[in-house]
Amino acid sequence: MPAHEDTPTPLHGRRVAFLATDGVERVELVEPWKAVQDAGGRPELISPRPDRITSFDRLDPGATFPVDVEVAGADPDAYDALVLPGGVANPDQLRTDSDAVAFVRAFVDGGRPVAAICHAPWLLVEADAVEGRTLTSYPSLATDLRNAGATWVDETVHVEGGLITSRNPDDLPAFCEALVRELTR
């Protein structure tokens, strides 16, 4: 049964930034977005691209999504949390964008929840946000994360100090649950 409009939801009033660009893994954007919406939060797509981004379903182009705010003009303080969906091309492009890296760094420095799945922890490496931390990711990033000073674990989801990480689309149910749980603390 849907919640009545006057019934508070766990994330009522919370704004959640989703940072992505072309090449984002569609399901890794859509499923956490839906989890935030279903819990009453307000997701917003932040991107270096001004209008739309194109997702991928593995290696095949997928749906396009409208961008709410360009990252260069986005105020990290306007959001309660950050979600970093994966895909290979998406975080690889974002980690070379200084505005995107600064946006991620602002969340880490501010102690607000950051959720990263699959290849998205590349952005955390670029933002100097993994040293001394334990996290998981797509297995091919394990060496990159260790070289940046992190401890890599092979877990469905790992939560440490507001940092939520998962390995791949198969982990989305646990990732989404941990995201909503961390946002309600």
Side-chain angles (χ1 to χ4, degrees), residues 5-138:
E5 287 182 25
D6 296 332
T7 304
T9 53
L11 300 184
H12 180 75
R14 303 274 178 109
R15 290 176 71 190
V16 180
F18 281 70
L19 178 60
T21 194
D22 289 333
V24 65
E25 185 69 29
R26 182 190 56 79
V27 70
E28 293 175 3
L29 174 63
V30 171
E31 291 300 314
W33 186 284
K34 183 179 180 318
V36 167
Q37 278 185 324
D38 288 351
R42 186 171 136 203
E44 293 183 25
L45 183 56
I46 312 297
S47 180
R49 299 194 43 91
D51 298 316
R52 300 186 78 71
I53 63 169
T54 301
S55 68
F56 272 66
D57 291 313
R58 303 250 177 219
L59 299 176
D60 299 319
T64 62
F65 298 92
V67 172
D68 294 305
V69 180
E70 281 186 72
V71 71
D75 177 8
D77 292 330
Y79 300 94
D80 297 293
L82 173 63
V83 176
L84 303 171
V88 177
N90 170 55
D92 193 47
Q93 291 179 71
L94 290 173
R95 68 184 176 159
T96 64
D97 184 292
S98 61
D99 291 323
V101 173
F103 192 75
V104 172
R105 187 74 218 166
F107 280 86
V108 173
D109 287 348
R112 284 170 285 154
V114 175
I117 188 168
C118 197
H119 287 76
W122 268 338
L123 271 164
L124 298 172
V125 169
E126 200 63 37
D128 294 322
V130 300
E131 187 171 356
R133 304 199 67 175
T134 300
L135 61 155
T136 193
S137 68
Y138 196 77

Side-chain angles (χ1 to χ4, degrees), residues 133-154:
R133 304 199 67 175
T134 300
L135 61 155
T136 193
S137 68
Y138 196 77
S140 65
L141 274 65
T143 299
D144 296 335
L145 291 165
R146 287 184 189 116
N147 287 342
T151 299
W152 186 85
V153 293
D154 185 11

